[in-house]
Amino acid sequence: MTSTAEGGTDKYIALAAMVFAVAMTFIDQTIVSIAVPDISGELGVSASAIQWVINGYLLSLSAFFAFGGRLADLLGHRRMVLIGVTIFAVSSALCGATPSGDAAEPWLIVFRVIQGFGAALLFPAALAIVVAAFPLQQRGRALAIFFGVTGGLTAIGPILGGWLTQYTWRAIFWVNVPVAVIAIVLTFLAKVNPAHRREKLDWRGAALIVAGMALSVLGLQQASSWGWDSWRTWLCIAVGFAILVIFVLVELRTETPLIKVRIFRDRAFTIDNAVLFFGLMAFVPLFFFASVYSQISLGQSANGAGLYLLIFFGGFVVAAQIGGRMLDQGGARRPVILGCVLGTIGFAFWARSLTTLDEGSQWYWIVLSGAGIGFFLGPASTDAVNRAINASYGEVTGITQTLRNYGSSLSLAILGTVLLQVGRDKINTSLTGLGVPSADATAAANSLMSSTAGATATNALPPSIREAAMVAIQRDYAEASRVVFFGMAVALFVALCFALFHPGGKVTAENKSEEPAATPTRTSGGDGPLDPPVAPA
């Protein structure tokens, strides 16, 4: 029997369509990390460029999410999904067609950024369609399915990436094209409401948030190349953050802003987003750091690296289902706090076990880390959407996804710089201790950390010390990775500190922006009073 939502939308077909639509964006957050050594080896792409292949996608997501959410409200959610899917699929195909030679780096980075732009247009509109298709009493289950399935699809990235790279790394991009076709067909079949708003677009706000995010992450990302003592590093960081402050001030004075900043007066909404910001500092960058660690320090293939990350999702998928039920029963506070506690402990002990170079001694902490992320990711995201008073669904999802992906971009930039610097220092010291001249040791360390090449990095060394050098490199890279994983544990601990102040309870009645008299209520099992509704900006 077909279930049709208000306005003629078949809600379950709409849910399936949006899952397929965003599946590409979730898979792409992990699948590229697995293929890093293959891309670097075939195209000769440097480690700095490889980080921009990953970080450029995340940065573009962060910078344009708020713009995409607002644009979806103005042009219509269905139209924006179709435009976003098309942009994403075409740019994916062009990433797979990256030419060899000097053009490889700029080509791949540019089309990865365009991929991120397409995803930023697509995701807020897709989530808004799911939210609008289901009434409040069914929305928790629908969003639990949405976040659970799409989050679980992230696990497909490592496995699919490991399998596809056995043939060619280019296939990891081409696989998005048939998924996009399915998403487009289902979107038309769902008969999604094409309604839109007739309002002005805040171009000034859009320009400020894009510039602020781009400059701040650029400075952090390039610190490994420019140096932390370089004026260029600190100029980009300072100017970027200054522009973001100006953006907030401008939005407060704009009649129809890109983001209604006053929405953050709701304490639960603010805390949900703070948890997502710091929590995603561990979640998304993990796939790059863990996959390269497994290939260099554990000596695994790309397929083996995918299986290594699959252990993480063993905990994630189970915890996501339990966390969703906890959300439905008593609100987001308990699963969010529990997830942050488990994640902090899991990542800290996982970091400690990295230098054992033994996967068997790590699996328990990997599962625990995955469970921690699984417990809080869906509940915090769903609660933030339900708490957003007097704002459209596209706008709200634009806000939450902007903060999530900006946290990921900042983390990858900062921790990537730490990994490069610590790794270079340790490898240089080890090679010097093996009798390699200082200049040659420095060149070898730079080459290794610039290529993520693993065993091939020792080919330029004298044959008599290659085996000992490889053992040292595996250990040194593991020690550098340990610093990074401790950093992710710290990010989750900060998320926990915010989670402890969550007011608790759950929203049981809906207040849309066009219904000024309605006020959301909280069940009696809540842990604190409901914050007052946010007035329209």
Side-chain angles (χ1 to χ4, degrees), residues 88-464:
F88 194 93
V90 171
S91 57
S92 294
L94 290 171
C95 284
T98 301
S100 302
D102 294 339
E105 287 189 5
W107 178 290
L108 192 54
I109 292 172
V110 166
F111 286 110
R112 281 288 284 170
V113 169
I114 295 175
Q115 261 192 312
F117 175 71
L121 298 183
L122 157 66
F123 194 95
L127 185 53
I129 286 174
V130 175
V131 170
F134 288 83
L136 182 62
Q137 61 271 24
Q138 298 179 6
R139 189 176 301 157
R141 181 182 302 175
L143 289 178
I145 294 173
F146 180 83
F147 285 115
V149 173
T150 52
L153 285 171
T154 314
I156 294 178
I159 302 301
L160 187 62
W163 180 70
L164 290 175
T165 50
Q166 296 181 58
Y167 302 95
T168 172
W169 61 265
R170 298 176 187 274
I172 68 173
F173 295 108
W174 292 334
V175 74
N176 290 324
V177 177
V179 177
V181 172
I182 295 173
I184 290 173
V185 171
L186 288 176
T187 300
F188 280 112
L189 291 177
K191 301 177 182 178
V192 176
N193 190 341
H196 59 277
R197 292 185 171 193
R198 296 184 179 276
E199 295 178 352
K200 294 187 299 182
L201 180 62
D202 179 18
W203 290 104
R204 181 174 57 178
L208 286 172
I209 195 170
V210 169
M213 290 186 172
L215 281 172
S216 59
V217 175
L218 175 65
L220 293 165
Q221 171 68 25
Q222 292 301 109
S224 59
S225 301
W226 296 341
W228 284 103
D229 57 347
S230 170
W231 63 268
R232 291 178 295 179
T233 299
W234 291 107
L235 179 64
C236 286
I237 293 173
V239 172
F241 281 115
I243 292 176
L244 291 177
V245 172
I246 294 172
F247 165 77
V248 172
L249 297 176
V250 168
E251 294 300 276
L252 287 171
R253 292 170 173 79
T254 302
E255 183 179 354
T256 55
L258 187 74
I259 291 177
K260 294 183 177 71
V261 180
R262 292 183 179 88
I263 198 173
F264 287 96
R265 283 187 355 203
D266 184 286
R267 181 155 59 102
F269 179 82
T270 300
I271 291 174
D272 285 331
N273 279 282
V275 169
L276 290 171
F277 178 85
F278 288 101
L280 270 290
M281 283 188 165
F283 184 46
V284 175
L286 165 70
F287 306 109
F288 172 74
F289 296 122
S291 63
V292 178
Y293 160 81
S294 67
Q295 292 178 75
I296 291 182
S297 293
L298 300 183
Q300 295 179 338
S301 64
N303 193 46
L307 294 174
Y308 179 74
L309 286 174
L310 184 61
I311 300 171
F312 177 88
F313 284 99
F316 175 87
V317 172
V318 174
Q321 300 306 310
I322 299 173
R325 287 196 291 269
M326 293 175 68
L327 170 69
D328 289 337
Q329 293 169 1
R333 188 175 193 271
R334 292 179 181 88
V336 167
I337 291 176
L338 177 60
C340 291
V341 169
L342 295 181
T344 301
I345 295 172
F347 271 90
F349 280 92
W350 188 1
R352 288 187 60 189
S353 65
L354 289 176
T355 53
T356 64
L357 303 183
D358 176 21
E359 183 179 322
S361 67
Q362 302 174 24
W363 73 267
Y364 179 82
W365 307 118
I366 299 175
V367 171
L368 190 63
S369 299
I373 301 293
F375 267 115
F376 77 74
L377 182 59
S381 300
T382 305
D383 192 57
V385 172
N386 289 338
R387 302 271 182 173
I389 314 302
N390 296 313
S392 65
Y393 296 135
E395 179 186 4
V396 172
T397 54
I399 293 171
T400 58
Q401 298 303 315
T402 293
L403 291 171
R404 283 176 51 163
N405 287 278
Y406 189 39
S408 301
S409 297
L410 284 175
S411 177
L412 189 58
I414 295 171
L415 297 180
T417 300
V418 171
L419 180 71
L420 289 174
Q421 291 190 334
V422 174
R424 284 170 180 165
D425 291 343
K426 288 185 175 296
I427 292 171
N428 182 44
T429 300
S430 294
L431 294 181
T432 303
L434 291 172
V436 178
S438 179
D440 294 340
T442 300
N446 289 336
S447 175
L448 171 71
M449 298 304 296
S450 297
S451 65
T452 64
T456 59
T458 62
N459 291 342
L461 300 176
S464 60

